[in-house]
Amino acid sequence: MPPIFAPRHASLAGLVTLLLAAPARAEIDLGSLDVFAQDSPTSPVPKGLVLGGAVIAGNARYQGQDDTALAVPGFVYFGEQFMFLGDRARYYFHKDDSFAAYAYGRMRFGNLDPDDASELAGMEERKWELEGGVGASLITPYALLSTRLSTDVTGRSNGQELLLWADFPIIRDKLLIMPGMGVMIRSNKMANYYFGGVSGSEATAQRPEWDTGTTFSPMAALITSYRFSPHWIGMFAANYELYDNDVENSPIVQHQGELYAGFGVGYIW
């Protein structure tokens, strides 16, 4: 049987974005599927306010940092046009059955503190920044094709990021299974600030100066959700980013990519 793409089944992506993005700093954004959120007591993913918690684990990015393993609370809100997804929000200024366009805002959390590990001593702390941008989604019977462009608006990194993504939802009654894949393109300023750049003032004999340049990182994700009752849902999510070679080979990056996975339970308010 071919996959079924039903509009009412898609707002889980935003909940998972919240539960994975805040403490783990995973970069994937599956929130584009929220254009299809509708109210239904049997949908695997609801519309409105959802309160939840999750246990998540993932790879640390930098040398000397420990891998993440946390239990975290969270909430998201899905309205007709405005959607709050934890560390990010969207306002849809156009929506129909085949196309959606929105304004986008995000707070990107800092991810490098030189006090965390001796390997990072002498590095500049990578702090949070506010980002703004626009995005669009093309809706087809078998896939959701999305793109999003954002830029730093606080002057922290002065960088930009472009996401190109495709999701392939499969619906079976109260169960949602949704694989996705795409690529994240980051400007040299964004990549150097948050993904392994080492400036001349940060370089040492053991840590050479490093310029990532513009980076291209393939990504893949899997989201599942099951509606236990009109008020309770359970979910599992995993996503992997394969680093661009110039990120992977940075003297302060410790892996070839980042893998994050989590299991959560949500209460529909």
Side-chain angles (χ1 to χ4, degrees):
M1 180 179 294
I4 301 171
F5 195 47
R8 68 178 182 274
H9 293 301
S11 62
L12 174 64
L15 179 58
V16 175
T17 298
L18 167 65
L19 295 178
L20 292 182
R25 304 185 180 98
E27 295 301 320
I28 197 69
D29 181 2
L30 301 177
S32 292
L33 288 178
D34 299 309
V35 299
F36 300 106
Q38 293 185 6
D39 198 9
S40 169
T42 60
S43 170
V45 284
K47 182 178 179 180
L49 179 65
V50 181
L51 306 177
V55 176
I56 61 174
N59 299 132
R61 184 168 301 164
Y62 297 117
Q63 298 287 348
Q65 291 181 338
D66 295 328
D67 290 343
T68 298
L70 293 172
V72 294
F75 73 93
V76 294
Y77 174 77
F78 306 101
E80 292 299 325
Q81 291 179 282
F82 177 76
M83 310 210 175
F84 173 75
L85 307 174
D87 65 337
R88 64 202 73 189
R90 296 181 176 199
Y91 180 81
Y92 287 91
F93 50 83
H94 176 84
K95 240 197 274 192
D96 60 36
D97 292 339
S98 60
F99 181 77
Y102 59 89
Y104 171 84
R106 174 188 179 182
M107 185 175 75
R108 184 185 297 268
F109 295 96
N111 64 0
L112 188 156
D113 187 336
D115 294 332
D116 285 347
S118 59
E119 292 89 339
L120 303 175
M123 294 290 296
E124 175 189 353
E125 183 180 359
R126 274 38 171 185
K127 300 179 181 179
W128 62 270
E129 70 179 25
L130 294 177
E131 299 170 9
V134 294
S137 299
L138 179 65
I139 304 152
T140 77
Y142 300 103
L144 181 88
L145 308 177
S146 303
T147 184
R148 189 200 72 223
L149 176 65
S150 60
T151 185
D152 172 29
V153 297
T154 53
R156 189 80 74 189
S157 73
N158 292 309
Q160 294 77 42
E161 187 175 75
L162 174 65
L163 176 66
L164 304 173
W165 194 261
D167 282 301
F168 306 94
I170 300 169
I171 309 299
R172 295 293 184 268
D173 297 325
K174 299 179 179 181
L175 174 68
L176 166 68
I177 302 174
M178 185 173 62
M181 64 181 66
V183 61
M184 187 74 80
I185 305 170
R186 299 185 179 96
S187 71
N188 64 330
K189 292 182 178 179
M190 174 72 74
N192 274 306
Y193 194 79
Y194 286 112
F195 292 86
V198 179
S199 67
S201 62
E202 295 172 322
T204 67
Q206 293 76 35
R207 184 175 62 218
E209 185 175 354
W210 191 264
D211 183 359
T212 66
T214 299
T215 63
F216 298 78
S217 294
M219 296 180 170
L222 176 66
I223 301 288
T224 66
S225 173
Y226 185 77
R227 186 73 171 262
F228 294 107
S229 74
H231 289 289
W232 288 99
I233 59 172
M235 64 213 68
F236 171 81
N239 58 269
Y240 182 75
E241 173 179 349
L242 178 65
Y243 288 147
D244 183 283
N245 286 340
D246 287 328
V247 174
E248 176 190 346
N249 294 327
S250 165
I252 62 171
V253 170
Q254 63 170 305
H255 298 294
Q256 293 182 327
E258 289 182 3
L259 173 65
Y260 283 95
F263 173 78
V265 177
Y267 179 81
I268 301 99
W269 193 258

Short mmCIF file of all heavy atoms in Angstrom, two decimals, residues 85-117:
data_model
loop_
_atom_site.label_atom_id
_atom_site.label_comp_id
_atom_site.label_asym_id
_atom_site.label_seq_id
_atom_site.Cartn_x
_atom_site.Cartn_y
_atom_site.Cartn_z
N LEU A 85 7.63 26.34 18.91
CA LEU A 85 8.24 25.02 18.88
C LEU A 85 9.45 24.94 19.80
O LEU A 85 10.46 24.34 19.48
CB LEU A 85 8.64 24.66 17.45
CG LEU A 85 7.54 24.80 16.40
CD1 LEU A 85 8.10 24.55 15.02
CD2 LEU A 85 6.38 23.87 16.70
N GLY A 86 9.36 25.58 20.96
CA GLY A 86 10.44 25.48 21.94
C GLY A 86 11.49 26.54 21.73
O GLY A 86 11.38 27.65 22.23
N ASP A 87 12.54 26.21 20.97
CA ASP A 87 13.59 27.20 20.72
C ASP A 87 13.34 27.97 19.44
O ASP A 87 14.16 28.80 19.04
CB ASP A 87 14.97 26.50 20.65
CG ASP A 87 15.08 25.55 19.47
OD1 ASP A 87 14.04 25.08 18.97
OD2 ASP A 87 16.22 25.28 19.04
N ARG A 88 12.21 27.72 18.78
CA ARG A 88 11.91 28.40 17.52
C ARG A 88 10.41 28.60 17.36
O ARG A 88 9.60 27.95 18.02
CB ARG A 88 12.47 27.62 16.34
CG ARG A 88 11.87 26.24 16.16
CD ARG A 88 12.80 25.33 15.36
NE ARG A 88 13.94 24.94 16.18
CZ ARG A 88 15.00 24.28 15.70
NH1 ARG A 88 15.08 23.98 14.43
NH2 ARG A 88 15.99 23.96 16.49
N ALA A 89 10.03 29.52 16.47
CA ALA A 89 8.62 29.82 16.22
C ALA A 89 8.42 30.13 14.75
O ALA A 89 9.36 30.52 14.04
CB ALA A 89 8.16 30.99 17.08
N ARG A 90 7.16 29.99 14.30
CA ARG A 90 6.80 30.28 12.91
C ARG A 90 5.50 31.06 12.87
O ARG A 90 4.61 30.85 13.69
CB ARG A 90 6.62 28.99 12.11
CG ARG A 90 7.85 28.16 11.97
CD ARG A 90 7.55 26.94 11.14
NE ARG A 90 8.76 26.16 10.92
CZ ARG A 90 8.90 25.27 9.95
NH1 ARG A 90 7.90 25.04 9.13
NH2 ARG A 90 10.03 24.60 9.80
N TYR A 91 5.41 31.92 11.87
CA TYR A 91 4.14 32.58 11.56
C TYR A 91 3.87 32.39 10.08
O TYR A 91 4.62 32.86 9.23
CB TYR A 91 4.17 34.06 11.90
CG TYR A 91 2.87 34.75 11.59
CD1 TYR A 91 1.79 34.66 12.46
CD2 TYR A 91 2.71 35.44 10.39
CE1 TYR A 91 0.58 35.27 12.15
CE2 TYR A 91 1.51 36.05 10.07
CZ TYR A 91 0.45 35.96 10.96
OH TYR A 91 -0.75 36.56 10.65
N TYR A 92 2.79 31.68 9.77
CA TYR A 92 2.45 31.39 8.39
C TYR A 92 1.67 32.56 7.80
O TYR A 92 0.59 32.90 8.29
CB TYR A 92 1.63 30.11 8.30
CG TYR A 92 2.45 28.87 8.54
CD1 TYR A 92 2.59 28.35 9.83
CD2 TYR A 92 3.10 28.24 7.50
CE1 TYR A 92 3.36 27.22 10.05
CE2 TYR A 92 3.88 27.12 7.71
CZ TYR A 92 4.01 26.61 8.99
OH TYR A 92 4.77 25.51 9.22
N PHE A 93 2.21 33.16 6.74
CA PHE A 93 1.50 34.24 6.07
C PHE A 93 0.79 33.76 4.81
O PHE A 93 0.07 34.52 4.17
CB PHE A 93 2.43 35.42 5.76
CG PHE A 93 3.72 35.07 5.07
CD1 PHE A 93 3.77 34.90 3.71
CD2 PHE A 93 4.88 34.92 5.81
CE1 PHE A 93 4.96 34.60 3.08
CE2 PHE A 93 6.08 34.63 5.18
CZ PHE A 93 6.12 34.46 3.81
N HIS A 94 0.98 32.48 4.46
CA HIS A 94 0.21 31.86 3.39
C HIS A 94 0.14 30.37 3.64
O HIS A 94 1.13 29.74 3.98
CB HIS A 94 0.84 32.11 2.01
CG HIS A 94 0.09 31.41 0.91
ND1 HIS A 94 -1.03 31.96 0.32
CD2 HIS A 94 0.29 30.20 0.31
CE1 HIS A 94 -1.48 31.12 -0.61
NE2 HIS A 94 -0.71 30.05 -0.64
N LYS A 95 -1.07 29.81 3.44
CA LYS A 95 -1.27 28.37 3.61
C LYS A 95 -2.41 27.92 2.72
O LYS A 95 -3.49 28.49 2.78
CB LYS A 95 -1.61 28.05 5.06
CG LYS A 95 -0.63 27.13 5.77
CD LYS A 95 -1.26 26.57 7.02
CE LYS A 95 -1.07 27.49 8.19
NZ LYS A 95 -1.44 26.82 9.47
N ASP A 96 -2.18 26.91 1.89
CA ASP A 96 -3.28 26.25 1.19
C ASP A 96 -2.96 24.77 1.10
O ASP A 96 -2.04 24.28 1.76
CB ASP A 96 -3.55 26.89 -0.17
CG ASP A 96 -2.35 26.85 -1.12
OD1 ASP A 96 -1.60 25.84 -1.09
OD2 ASP A 96 -2.16 27.81 -1.88
N ASP A 97 -3.70 24.02 0.29
CA ASP A 97 -3.54 22.57 0.25
C ASP A 97 -2.25 22.10 -0.39
O ASP A 97 -1.88 20.93 -0.27
CB ASP A 97 -4.73 21.93 -0.48
CG ASP A 97 -6.02 22.06 0.29
OD1 ASP A 97 -5.95 22.27 1.52
OD2 ASP A 97 -7.09 21.97 -0.34
N SER A 98 -1.55 22.96 -1.10
CA SER A 98 -0.35 22.53 -1.81
C SER A 98 0.89 23.36 -1.50
O SER A 98 2.00 22.95 -1.85
CB SER A 98 -0.59 22.56 -3.32
OG SER A 98 -0.92 23.88 -3.74
N PHE A 99 0.74 24.49 -0.80
CA PHE A 99 1.90 25.36 -0.58
C PHE A 99 1.71 26.15 0.71
O PHE A 99 0.61 26.56 1.06
CB PHE A 99 2.07 26.32 -1.76
CG PHE A 99 3.25 27.25 -1.61
CD1 PHE A 99 4.54 26.79 -1.84
CD2 PHE A 99 3.06 28.57 -1.24
CE1 PHE A 99 5.63 27.64 -1.70
CE2 PHE A 99 4.15 29.43 -1.11
CZ PHE A 99 5.43 28.96 -1.34
N ALA A 100 2.81 26.34 1.43
CA ALA A 100 2.79 27.16 2.64
C ALA A 100 4.07 27.99 2.70
O ALA A 100 5.14 27.53 2.28
CB ALA A 100 2.67 26.29 3.89
N ALA A 101 3.96 29.21 3.23
CA ALA A 101 5.12 30.09 3.38
C ALA A 101 5.03 30.75 4.75
O ALA A 101 3.94 31.06 5.24
CB ALA A 101 5.16 31.14 2.28
N TYR A 102 6.19 30.97 5.39
CA TYR A 102 6.17 31.45 6.76
C TYR A 102 7.40 32.29 7.08
O TYR A 102 8.44 32.21 6.42
CB TYR A 102 6.11 30.26 7.73
CG TYR A 102 7.26 29.28 7.61
CD1 TYR A 102 8.43 29.46 8.34
CD2 TYR A 102 7.18 28.18 6.77
CE1 TYR A 102 9.49 28.56 8.23
CE2 TYR A 102 8.23 27.29 6.65
CZ TYR A 102 9.37 27.48 7.37
OH TYR A 102 10.42 26.60 7.25
N ALA A 103 7.24 33.11 8.12
CA ALA A 103 8.37 33.79 8.74
C ALA A 103 8.87 32.93 9.89
O ALA A 103 8.08 32.22 10.54
CB ALA A 103 7.95 35.17 9.24
N TYR A 104 10.15 33.01 10.16
CA TYR A 104 10.80 32.06 11.08
C TYR A 104 11.71 32.80 12.05
O TYR A 104 12.40 33.75 11.68
CB TYR A 104 11.62 31.09 10.23
CG TYR A 104 12.55 30.15 10.98
CD1 TYR A 104 12.08 28.97 11.52
CD2 TYR A 104 13.91 30.45 11.12
CE1 TYR A 104 12.93 28.09 12.18
CE2 TYR A 104 14.76 29.58 11.77
CZ TYR A 104 14.27 28.40 12.30
OH TYR A 104 15.11 27.53 12.95
N GLY A 105 11.69 32.36 13.32
CA GLY A 105 12.61 32.88 14.31
C GLY A 105 13.12 31.76 15.20
O GLY A 105 12.39 30.79 15.47
N ARG A 106 14.36 31.89 15.63
CA ARG A 106 14.95 30.85 16.46
C ARG A 106 15.98 31.44 17.41
O ARG A 106 16.68 32.39 17.05
CB ARG A 106 15.66 29.81 15.59
CG ARG A 106 16.43 28.76 16.38
CD ARG A 106 17.26 27.87 15.50
NE ARG A 106 18.00 26.89 16.29
CZ ARG A 106 18.84 26.00 15.78
NH1 ARG A 106 19.08 25.96 14.48
NH2 ARG A 106 19.48 25.13 16.56
N MET A 107 16.08 30.88 18.62
CA MET A 107 17.21 31.14 19.49
C MET A 107 18.14 29.94 19.43
O MET A 107 17.78 28.84 19.83
CB MET A 107 16.79 31.39 20.94
CG MET A 107 17.98 31.78 21.81
SD MET A 107 17.57 32.23 23.51
CE MET A 107 17.24 30.62 24.21
N ARG A 108 19.34 30.13 18.87
CA ARG A 108 20.32 29.07 18.81
C ARG A 108 21.18 29.14 20.08
O ARG A 108 21.76 30.17 20.39
CB ARG A 108 21.23 29.23 17.58
CG ARG A 108 22.22 28.07 17.40
CD ARG A 108 23.16 28.36 16.25
NE ARG A 108 22.45 28.46 14.99
CZ ARG A 108 22.24 27.44 14.15
NH1 ARG A 108 22.72 26.23 14.45
NH2 ARG A 108 21.59 27.60 13.03
N PHE A 109 21.24 28.03 20.80
CA PHE A 109 21.97 28.00 22.06
C PHE A 109 23.47 27.90 21.81
O PHE A 109 23.92 27.32 20.83
CB PHE A 109 21.50 26.82 22.91
CG PHE A 109 20.07 26.92 23.34
CD1 PHE A 109 19.08 26.29 22.61
CD2 PHE A 109 19.72 27.67 24.45
CE1 PHE A 109 17.75 26.38 23.00
CE2 PHE A 109 18.39 27.77 24.84
CZ PHE A 109 17.40 27.13 24.11
N GLY A 110 24.25 28.47 22.72
CA GLY A 110 25.71 28.33 22.65
C GLY A 110 26.11 26.88 22.84
O GLY A 110 25.41 26.10 23.49
N ASN A 111 27.27 26.50 22.27
CA ASN A 111 27.65 25.08 22.31
C ASN A 111 29.12 24.85 22.62
O ASN A 111 29.59 23.73 22.51
CB ASN A 111 27.27 24.39 21.00
CG ASN A 111 28.03 24.95 19.81
OD1 ASN A 111 28.85 25.84 19.94
ND2 ASN A 111 27.74 24.42 18.63
N LEU A 112 29.85 25.89 23.00
CA LEU A 112 31.25 25.70 23.37
C LEU A 112 31.59 26.63 24.52
O LEU A 112 31.44 27.85 24.40
CB LEU A 112 32.18 25.97 22.17
CG LEU A 112 33.67 25.64 22.34
CD1 LEU A 112 34.32 25.41 20.98
CD2 LEU A 112 34.44 26.73 23.09
N ASP A 113 32.03 26.05 25.62
CA ASP A 113 32.48 26.80 26.78
C ASP A 113 33.89 26.33 27.11
O ASP A 113 34.10 25.15 27.38
CB ASP A 113 31.55 26.56 27.97
CG ASP A 113 31.87 27.44 29.16
OD1 ASP A 113 33.02 27.92 29.28
OD2 ASP A 113 30.97 27.68 29.98
N PRO A 114 34.89 27.22 27.06
CA PRO A 114 36.26 26.78 27.31
C PRO A 114 36.48 26.21 28.71
O PRO A 114 37.48 25.51 28.93
CB PRO A 114 37.09 28.05 27.10
CG PRO A 114 36.11 29.18 27.24
CD PRO A 114 34.81 28.66 26.75
N ASP A 115 35.56 26.46 29.63
CA ASP A 115 35.67 25.90 30.97
C ASP A 115 35.21 24.45 31.03
O ASP A 115 35.40 23.78 32.05
CB ASP A 115 34.86 26.72 31.97
CG ASP A 115 35.42 28.13 32.15
OD1 ASP A 115 36.64 28.30 31.96
OD2 ASP A 115 34.64 29.05 32.45
N ASP A 116 34.60 23.94 29.94
CA ASP A 116 34.07 22.58 29.94
C ASP A 116 35.17 21.52 29.91
O ASP A 116 35.00 20.42 30.43
CB ASP A 116 33.15 22.36 28.74
CG ASP A 116 31.79 23.02 28.92
OD1 ASP A 116 31.48 23.43 30.05
OD2 ASP A 116 31.06 23.13 27.93
N ALA A 117 36.28 21.81 29.23
CA ALA A 117 37.31 20.80 29.04
C ALA A 117 38.65 21.46 28.79
O ALA A 117 38.73 22.55 28.20
CB ALA A 117 36.96 19.89 27.86
#
